[in-house]
Amino acid sequence: MSFLIKMRKSVMTIVKVMIVVAMTLGFIAVWYNCYSETIYSLRGNWVVLFSYLFLFILFAELYGGFHVGINRLHEIIYSLSLSAFFSNVLMYMELSLIARRLVPPIPFIGGVLYQIGVICIGSYCANTIYFRLYAPRKMLAVFSDDDEGRAIVRKMAKIPARFAVERGVSVNRSSTEEIKQLIDRYEAVLLCEFNKEQKNELLHYCYSHRKRIYILPSSTDVIIRNADQIQIVDTPLLMCHNRGLRPEQELVKRFFDLLISAVGIALTSPIMLITAVAIKLCDRGPVLFKQNRVTKDGKIFNVLKFRSMVVDAEKNGAQKAVNDDDRITPVGKIIRPCRLDELPQLFNVLRGDMSLVGPRPERVENVYDYVRKYPDFDLRHRVKGGLTGYAQVYGKYNTSPEDKLKLDLIYIEQYSIFMDMKLLLMTVKILFMKESTEGFDENAPKRQ
């Protein structure tokens, strides 16, 4: 076992390769046995084979299907299954082009079912092997007496196979020297947000004593992380461009917004029509719900949504949706989890109020409240608000304002048209993930 632990990276690579090989063999079996008219003499077959390999690995990497030990087991299975589905859909189209007709889809469906079985078994085995080889390090959490520090500790505690948070210590109740003595007893340390001088001292201590370090970053940390390193003679410097999107990037982004939103409206118009009729028949109320939101440079616009709550849902003032919210209509309970209520925002994108990808525009009253509590929150408005975004893909509906800010800053600082394409494809993944639409917990502690 000790030898395997030393070779654990290689072992995990072999396990992942075995999953890919099993998936590819499933495709080859379907291809050779059911689509003989698409088989070439020699070289063409390699093109088809590498097409499948390329597509499956591309989608698996995009959706995090190979993130064993990082994502939870059901997320890995879901990601790989989604990768198999899209890969096979595209390969079905490729084989139909080769055959010059639509080939029967039934064998492909059978092949996908086989692959899902392989994914379930392979993911379970890979997950089990990973946690046998990578035992969680005993961890000390260092935080101040605030909800943010406790929140991240609670999140880590929900994943005991990865994080063994055995003790927490408050910097407000213990001296730096006492915390250092505690650090000596643990293999890893979580440093949350607290006094920067003290945090830097503890960071240096952990680094010099070879402790694994987990850091809860501030918005400033996120900005610095994306800076370019330059050198003035023999002195290293970090340069933050601080320029937002360049004019050519904005032009390309707007072109894709117009193209994809127009195509999206055309393709989803039957769904939007059915949804509109269902809402009207449900309670005879208005189909659309309009709400003031804040976008680039603080501009206010009306966002369009299909109404998923009762007509007088906010008669007592603005309220966030919570789990099992009794204001949600029967139709709303169907369209909200699938995000169908967001479809009218394609018209906002077409009109130029929003972009397809960007920080999710917040309500005016929420922005005032968040900026008052977290002044850096206004940094999200350096780019146009989006239908989907980094915080929507990697966060949840009830992600805290601080975490939304950090996630959106990552997007702003790392922006590229390829990131937009990736986030659009990633949005498909989260449509059916319950966590992404999870409401606010009424019993969760509120930050004052």
Side-chain angles (χ1 to χ4, degrees):
M1 188 66 180
S2 59
F3 172 76
L4 290 177
I5 291 175
K6 291 179 181 178
M7 300 291 292
R8 53 192 177 186
K9 286 188 178 180
S10 299
V11 171
M12 292 309 303
T13 299
I14 292 170
V15 171
K16 294 172 186 177
V17 168
M18 290 175 65
I19 293 175
V20 173
V21 169
M23 299 289 289
T24 307
L25 289 175
F27 166 74
I28 292 174
V30 171
W31 175 32
Y32 263 74
N33 292 321
C34 304
Y35 302 105
S36 57
E37 70 269 36
T38 66
I39 297 175
Y40 291 97
S41 57
L42 183 61
R43 292 183 180 179
N45 293 336
W46 286 108
V47 173
V48 174
L49 178 60
F50 282 115
S51 295
Y52 177 80
L53 274 171
F54 172 78
L55 289 170
F56 178 73
I57 293 173
L58 176 68
F59 281 112
E61 286 289 346
L62 176 68
Y63 292 139
F66 294 139
H67 292 175
V68 179
I70 297 175
N71 292 341
R72 288 170 289 183
L73 178 59
H74 74 273
E75 291 181 63
I76 295 170
I77 293 173
Y78 175 60
S79 298
L80 289 176
S81 299
L82 202 60
S83 303
F85 172 77
F86 284 124
S87 300
N88 281 281
V89 167
L90 292 174
M91 290 307 301
Y92 171 80
M93 295 169 64
E94 182 176 328
L95 294 186
S96 294
L97 286 172
I98 294 171
R100 297 185 180 181
R101 66 181 181 87
L102 288 176
V103 296
I106 300 301
F108 261 105
I109 295 173
V112 170
L113 293 177
Y114 156 80
Q115 289 178 331
I116 291 175
V118 169
I119 287 167
C120 292
I121 296 171
S123 299
Y124 176 80
C125 293
N127 209 52
T128 302
I129 292 170
Y130 179 92
F131 289 114
R132 290 284 180 88
L133 298 178
Y134 291 86
R137 299 169 189 260
K138 296 178 181 179
M139 187 186 303
L140 172 71
V142 185
F143 52 84
S144 62
D145 289 320
D146 61 6
D147 291 332
E148 187 178 17
R150 294 191 183 95
I152 187 64
V153 173
R154 282 196 298 270
K155 289 177 182 178
M156 285 182 155
K158 291 179 181 179
I159 318 174
R162 282 187 60 201
F163 305 108
V165 183
E166 296 194 347
R167 181 170 177 175
V169 58
S170 169
V171 294
N172 299 329
R173 301 180 186 181
S174 302
S175 68
T176 303
E177 292 305 316
E178 289 173 332
I179 295 173
K180 287 179 180 178
Q181 291 175 14
L182 287 173
I183 288 173
D184 291 336
R185 305 177 194 173
Y186 295 89
E187 300 170 285
V189 179
L190 166 65
L191 298 177
C192 298
E193 271 294 286
F194 50 87
N195 178 275
K196 288 189 177 181
E197 289 185 7
Q198 191 175 14
K199 186 175 181 179
N200 287 338
E201 184 177 348
L202 292 176
L203 178 62
H204 182 272
Y205 185 83
C206 292
Y207 185 79
S208 62
H209 286 75
R210 298 181 179 275
K211 304 292 182 181
R212 173 164 290 188
I213 310 166
Y214 296 87
I215 299 175
L216 187 63
S218 65
S219 55
T220 304
D221 294 329
V222 173
I223 294 171
I224 293 175
R225 174 175 172 256
N226 293 285
D228 291 333
Q229 181 178 326
I230 63 174
Q231 195 161 310
I232 306 299
V233 189
D234 58 351
T235 301
L237 290 178
L238 295 176
M239 178 180 66
C240 300
H241 290 282
N242 197 26
R243 63 189 175 199
L245 271 60
R246 298 191 299 272
E248 64 271 21
Q249 289 178 320
E250 290 186 339
L251 184 64
V252 173
K253 188 175 176 67
R254 182 60 185 150
F255 170 77
F256 278 102
D257 284 345
L258 288 170
L259 177 64
I260 298 175
S261 62
V263 172
I265 290 170
L267 293 177
T268 61
S269 54
I271 299 174
M272 286 197 274
L273 179 61
I274 293 170
T275 304
V277 171
I279 293 171
K280 198 68 178 177
L281 293 176
C282 181
D283 60 6
R284 305 296 178 180
V287 170
L288 293 177
F289 173 69
K290 299 180 181 180
Q291 193 176 70
N292 285 338
R293 297 287 179 102
V294 182
T295 185
K296 184 180 178 183
D297 299 326
K299 180 183 175 183
I300 298 173
F301 73 101
N302 270 329
V303 72
L304 302 176
K305 299 178 71 172
F306 280 126
R307 184 174 57 84
S308 59
M309 292 189 174
V310 295
V311 176
D312 57 351
E314 296 191 338
K315 61 182 179 181
N316 297 321
Q319 295 174 268
K320 293 186 176 73
V322 298
N323 293 324
D324 301 320
D325 199 316
D326 58 7
R327 297 174 299 157
I328 299 175
T329 65
V331 174
K333 291 178 180 178
I334 297 173
I335 65 176
R336 284 174 70 93
C338 300
R339 307 292 180 90
L340 295 180
D341 59 324
E342 312 281 0
L343 284 178
Q345 287 164 50
L346 288 171
F347 291 99
N348 284 121
V349 175
L350 192 65
R351 198 163 57 188
D353 297 328
M354 299 170 59
S355 180
L356 286 168
V357 182
R360 188 69 180 148
E362 289 282 354
R363 301 177 61 162
V364 176
E365 52 268 37
N366 286 350
V367 171
Y368 290 151
D369 184 44
Y370 295 155
V371 171
R372 181 174 56 82
K373 294 178 181 177
Y374 325 107
D376 287 348
F377 193 82
D378 202 38
L379 295 175
R380 299 171 73 250
H381 302 133
R382 303 191 67 177
V383 297
K384 195 179 290 185
L387 182 60
T388 187
Y390 204 93
Q392 279 60 52
V393 169
Y394 294 102
K396 299 187 294 185
Y397 174 77
N398 60 0
T399 297
S400 69
E402 305 102 302
D403 288 338
K404 280 184 181 179
L405 168 62
K406 295 168 188 175
L407 290 169
D408 287 327
L409 279 178
I410 291 173
Y411 169 77
I412 293 170
E413 291 297 315
Q414 297 182 356
Y415 172 79
S416 70
I417 192 65
F418 298 106
M419 176 177 279
D420 273 8
M421 295 297 106
K422 175 182 177 180
L423 291 175
L424 285 172
L425 289 171
M426 288 286 287
T427 301
V428 178
K429 173 186 173 181
I430 67 169
L431 285 178
F432 304 102
M433 292 179 67
K434 183 179 178 181
E435 295 96 329
S436 65
T437 55
E438 184 179 347
F440 286 83
D441 186 353
E442 292 180 294
N443 300 315
K446 302 293 190 296
R447 189 179 173 105
Q448 300 300 320

